[in-house]
């Protein structure tokens, strides 16, 4: 991209990044050409505060107008970031394809969520044409309008079902996944055409669905696991043995690849649909937790959070206190102490709870503190599902230097799932807050 001379910039070697020549820039910023360095520096800083172009700031050409890209790194799109990763590590090529498909699906879901009211996509998915709804015995004349339920007995929202379709198809068409598990699918899905794939994926297509109709933040949660059971699947397929159903009701057996502890995740993340749409993920290992914001002008995810680290300790707790009377005494005691400023930090903690795990975890990741779904006497294992909610989020928070545990004080990432929709208690957040919580938890 070659710029005409009327712009005070010189083309740099980096595509999309323009290195302004200091003297011209000072002129451009109306700094005049006197040599009083300090005055010029102060003016440059002032310009920085109001978001004008400053030295080293990237400029993106939008509709041919040099536009200051907010923040120093955001001209780096997700595509560019991943391709630069692959150029130095070829083994990430398949993961690059997966992440780009997940990002594409999240863009689509973001549009669906943003326009839900406009396109009448709010409300419950109803059971039409006699497909299964709730209890089999319900065959009254008004069966058609019954809310459709998922295998956990929860009413499915229209956007739950739509988002599930979008993400399921995006993942299927990568040809890189042999098995999928979703909150909105009763059973794991075997992708016949990709039996010998290296990976399997788990996801909650639209988390926080109780908030959708009120346009409060929701999100998509995903996790990718390596699958070392390809031969077993082929074997079972050949023998037509036990039952993992694909869409043609083909029976095969093993879900082992899905039922791995969170510590085995190869990647995990979420996409939050809120005032911004933000995709946050990690590829594990030495890779950071990284965040990209969907730029509505570019229609691209651009880098905004290059290396997310959870503060060691926070001053927020995020839990549904409406259930506190049902909690174990140890948990009530912990929350009471930190609320009163009688915890280890002697700081009084404030409550923040959106009721969407993605929103509550995103805030906790940035500001610190602790988020929890503790379980109680009525729901021993809490409300959240282990393999596509607790594990992916705990993997991410621990990768950002935070911690996670169950209400028994065990690392969420060590819990071995027994079923696709198994629930688990989970706490995650700042490492010092999680460690402090553990001192209150009495192992059973
Ligand atoms: O209503 P509660 O008990 O506070 O539970 C809220 C939790 O349930 C969830 O909404 C469950 O998610 P789904 O909407 O995906 O079922 C979480 O996002 C949230 O953290």
């Amino acid at each position: 991209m070659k710029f005409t001379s009327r712009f005070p910039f010189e083309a740099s070697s980096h595509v999309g990044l323009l290195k302004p020549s200091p003297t011209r820039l000072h002129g451009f910023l109306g700094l005049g050409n006197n040599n009083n360095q300090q005055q010029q520096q102060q003016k440059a800083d002032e310009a920085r505060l109001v978001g004008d172009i400053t030295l080293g700031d990237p400029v993106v050409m939008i509709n041919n107008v040099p536009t200051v890209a907010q923040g120093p790194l955001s001209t780096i799109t997700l595509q560019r970031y991943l391709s630069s990763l692959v150029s130095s590590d070829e083994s990430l090529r398949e993961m690059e394809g997966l992440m780009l498909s997940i990002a594409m699906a999240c863009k689509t879901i973001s549009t669906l969520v943003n326009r839900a009211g406009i396109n009448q996509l709010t409300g419950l998915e109803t059971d039409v044409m006699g497909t299964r709804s709730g209890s089999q015995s319900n065959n009254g004349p008004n069966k058609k309008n019954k809310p459709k339920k998922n295998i956990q007995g929860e009413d499915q929202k229209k956007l739950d079902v739509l988002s599930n379709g979008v993400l399921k198809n995006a993942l299927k068409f990568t040809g890189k996944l042999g098995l999928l598990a979703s909150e909105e699918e009763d059973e794991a899905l075997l992708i016949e055409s990709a039996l010998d794939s290296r990976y399997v994926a788990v996801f909650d297509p639209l988390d926080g669905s109780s908030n959708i109709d009120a346009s409060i933040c929701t999100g998509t949660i995903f996790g990718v696991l390596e699958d070392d059971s390809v031969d077993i699947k082929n074997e079972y397929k050949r023998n037509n043995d036990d039952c993992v159903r694909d869409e043609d009701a083909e029976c095969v057996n093993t879900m082992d690849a899905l039922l791995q502890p969170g510590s085995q995740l190869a990647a995990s993340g979420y996409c939050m649909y809120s005032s911004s749409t933000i995709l946050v993920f990690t590829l594990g290992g030495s890779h950071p937790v990284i965040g990209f914001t969907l730029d509505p002008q570019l229609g691209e995810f651009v880098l905004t959070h290059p290396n997310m680290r959870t503060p060691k300790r926070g001053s927020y707790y995020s839990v549904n206190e409406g259930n506190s009377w049902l909690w174990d005494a140890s948990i009530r005691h912990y929350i009471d102490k930190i609320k009163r400023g009688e915890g280890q930090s002697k700081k009084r903690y404030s409550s923040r709870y959106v009721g969407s795990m993605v929103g509550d975890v995103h805030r906790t990741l940035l500001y610190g503190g602790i988020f929890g779904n503790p379980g109680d006497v009525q729901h021993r294992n809490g409300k959240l599902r282990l393999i596509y909610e607790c594990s992916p989020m705990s993997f991410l928070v621990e990768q950002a230097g935070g911690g996670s545990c169950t209400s028994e004080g065990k690392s969420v990432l060590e819990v071995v799932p027994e079923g696709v929709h198994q629930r688990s208690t989970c706490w995650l957040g700042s490492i010092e807050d999680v460690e402090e919580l553990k001192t209150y938890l009495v192992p059973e």
Side-chain angles (χ1 to χ4, degrees), residues 154 183 204 206-210 320 323 353 355-358 371 373 383-385 389:
E154 294 163 338
E183 179 180 324
D204 177 356
L206 201 59
D207 170 70
S209 48
S210 57
N320 183 344
N323 300 329
Y353 191 69
S356 292
M357 183 185 194
V358 169
F371 162 83
N373 196 281
K383 184 177 179 184
L384 301 175
R385 279 50 58 124
E389 288 174 319

Side-chain angles (χ1 to χ4, degrees), residues 326-341:
L326 295 165
W327 291 342
D328 288 354
S330 57
I331 292 171
R332 257 201 313 277
H333 190 207
Y334 165 67
I335 296 290
D336 210 40
K337 282 284 185 188
I338 59 172
K339 274 199 308 196
R340 294 165 186 276

Side-chain angles (χ1 to χ4, degrees), residues 335-373:
I335 296 290
D336 210 40
K337 282 284 185 188
I338 59 172
K339 274 199 308 196
R340 294 165 186 276
E342 296 166 6
Q344 289 171 352
S345 70
K346 302 295 173 233
K347 271 191 285 182
R348 283 190 52 201
Y349 280 51
S350 284
S351 169
R352 291 283 182 282
Y353 191 69
V354 178
S356 292
M357 183 185 194
V358 169
D360 286 317
V361 170
H362 183 70
R363 186 196 52 253
T364 305
L365 201 56
L366 292 178
Y367 299 167
I370 191 161
F371 162 83
N373 196 281

Side-chain angles (χ1 to χ4, degrees), residues 73-109:
L73 292 168
S74 57
T75 49
I76 298 179
T77 61
L78 175 67
Q79 190 152 13
R80 185 171 158 207
Y81 173 79
L82 291 170
S83 68
S84 65
L85 273 190
V86 171
S87 61
S88 52
D89 180 352
E90 184 56 32
S91 73
L92 289 173
R93 175 122 354 246
E94 285 188 78
M95 192 57 86
E96 176 194 30
L98 282 178
M99 284 310 306
L100 289 174
S101 296
I102 290 170
M104 190 59 221
C106 290
K107 279 188 208 171
T108 310
I109 297 170

Side-chain angles (χ1 to χ4, degrees), residues 146-355:
K146 285 258 172 271
K148 203 169 176 203
K149 291 185 183 298
N150 62 21
I151 193 160
Q152 299 141 75
E154 294 163 338
D155 290 344
Q156 286 183 311
K157 295 283 177 76
K158 285 183 189 156
L159 280 168
D160 280 328
V161 175
L162 273 174
S163 309
N164 184 54
V166 168
L167 191 50
K168 184 171 68 178
N169 291 334
L171 291 170
K172 235 172 75 179
F173 296 133
T174 61
K176 298 183 173 46
L177 294 160
L179 208 51
L180 297 179
S182 160
E183 179 180 324
E184 304 306 336
E185 294 285 341
D186 297 356
E187 295 183 21
L189 296 172
L190 179 82
I191 313 296
E192 292 279 344
S193 55
L195 265 184
D196 52 0
S197 314
R198 180 175 163 200
Y199 295 114
V200 300
V202 295
F203 58 95
D204 177 356
L206 201 59
D207 170 70
S209 48
S210 57
N211 280 329
I212 297 175
D213 296 356
S215 305
I216 293 170
C217 87
T218 52
T220 294
I221 305 173
F222 60 89
V224 178
L225 293 148
E226 296 246 12
D227 177 3
D228 51 14
S229 70
V230 175
D231 303 336
I232 299 174
K233 270 192 287 186
N234 287 338
E235 183 61 27
Y236 274 108
K237 174 134 188 54
R238 262 192 301 280
N239 304 349
N240 208 2
D241 214 329
D242 240 0
C243 200
V244 174
R245 270 174 231 296
D246 69 5
E247 292 184 57
D248 314 324
E250 275 277 315
C251 257
V252 294
N253 184 353
T254 179
M255 290 194 286
D256 298 5
L258 291 170
L259 303 182
Q260 299 180 62
S263 55
Q264 299 310 303
L265 281 160
S268 79
Y270 59 80
C271 188
M272 182 177 72
Y273 311 113
S274 182
S275 48
S276 298
T277 292
I278 302 184
L279 175 68
V280 174
F281 66 91
T282 183
L283 301 182
S286 60
H287 294 282
V289 172
I290 194 160
F292 293 78
T293 301
L294 183 58
D295 181 329
Q297 281 181 349
L298 294 181
E300 286 295 340
F301 281 107
V302 296
L303 181 61
T304 46
H305 304 74
N307 182 14
M308 298 172 81
R309 301 297 297 169
T310 309
K312 286 210 170 330
R313 183 178 280 280
S315 58
Y316 292 120
Y317 67 94
S318 183
V319 64
N320 183 344
E321 271 189 289
N323 300 329
S324 59
W325 62 288
L326 295 165
W327 291 342
D328 288 354
S330 57
I331 292 171
R332 257 201 313 277
H333 190 207
Y334 165 67
I335 296 290
D336 210 40
K337 282 284 185 188
I338 59 172
K339 274 199 308 196
R340 294 165 186 276
E342 296 166 6
Q344 289 171 352
S345 70
K346 302 295 173 233
K347 271 191 285 182
R348 283 190 52 201
Y349 280 51
S350 284
S351 169
R352 291 283 182 282
Y353 191 69
V354 178

